[in-house]
Amino acid sequence: MTIMIRLYLLLASLLVAPYVSAEVYKCTAANGDVVFQGEPCRSGSEVKVDIRFGEQQVVDINQLISGSWCEIGTSVVADGTVTLDNAMRKTWIFSERQMVQHISQGQRQDTFKYAIRQTPGSFVIDHPAFGSGQVSWQVRKLTDEQLVISAYGGFTHLSPGNCEVKVARAQN
């Protein structure tokens, strides 16, 4: 019986292994200690260690995100079915070092400002509400008509422009 369980576990690990991947950053802290973490280094020296157990699609994004983007919805896969959230409207406004998010839900309107670090193809938001203080986003698609970003295993789909303007045009 133990042999069957071990064989089953081995087979299960072999089936899962092609889909496992991770990015690891080797950072040097201010005191000189070497630290490995899942987010880009905040300061000091940085070496990106890319651990791949399976093929990953290379995304060629050669520019920074800028301007206003209206969140359309989310999906489980980058090109999958987008789930719309009609109750909440989110406008993301990007500059090189800051991202502002305007969120409207019914009569409630909130604005959040986040310091970000952008590189072509990714950005990191610094905010304590995200647990460790940092969330690393990958840019999966960036065209004049569409922005698809991912973090936490899901994909967020945005279109250019301010959500409030788009909703007003749609109602008229």
Side-chain angles (χ1 to χ4, degrees):
M1 187 64 158
T2 349
I3 293 173
M4 290 302 289
I5 293 173
R6 287 182 183 173
L7 284 173
Y8 176 73
L9 291 174
L10 177 64
L11 180 61
S13 66
L14 291 174
L15 292 174
V16 172
Y19 303 103
V20 176
S21 66
E23 287 184 345
V24 177
Y25 294 85
K26 179 181 175 186
C27 305
T28 305
N31 65 1
D33 291 344
V34 174
V35 180
F36 293 93
Q37 60 190 40
E39 297 91 21
C41 306
R42 285 182 168 239
S43 62
S45 65
E46 171 182 312
V47 175
K48 183 176 177 182
V49 181
D50 199 5
I51 301 172
R52 296 178 190 223
F53 296 105
E55 277 190 47
Q56 291 183 352
Q57 182 179 3
V58 176
V59 179
D60 183 26
I61 306 294
N62 58 9
Q63 62 189 32
L64 300 179
I65 306 170
S66 64
S68 294
W69 294 85
C70 179
E71 183 175 321
I72 303 302
T74 59
S75 67
V76 178
V77 294
D79 294 323
T81 303
V82 177
T83 303
L84 306 176
D85 184 357
N86 294 322
M88 189 179 300
R89 292 186 301 276
K90 297 179 188 175
T91 299
W92 303 52
I93 304 169
F94 290 92
S95 65
E96 186 176 349
R97 297 187 188 273
Q98 183 178 40
M99 192 269 289
V100 177
Q101 198 174 52
H102 297 289
I103 301 175
S104 300
Q105 186 173 20
Q107 298 296 320
R108 183 179 174 140
Q109 295 185 359
D110 294 303
T111 299
F112 301 95
K113 295 181 181 182
Y114 305 101
I116 66 171
R117 289 183 310 283
Q118 277 202 68
T119 59
S122 69
F123 62 95
V124 176
I125 296 175
D126 290 325
H127 195 279
F130 292 119
S132 68
Q134 293 185 356
V135 174
S136 181
W137 290 80
Q138 298 299 311
V139 180
R140 299 299 181 188
K141 188 174 199 177
L142 177 57
T143 66
D144 290 340
E145 296 83 30
Q146 186 180 27
L147 169 62
V148 179
I149 55 179
S150 66
Y152 298 122
F155 297 87
T156 303
H157 299 258
L158 302 103
S159 66
N162 181 313
C163 289
E164 298 305 318
V165 172
K166 287 181 181 238
V167 169
R169 284 185 188 153
Q171 290 175 349
N172 291 332

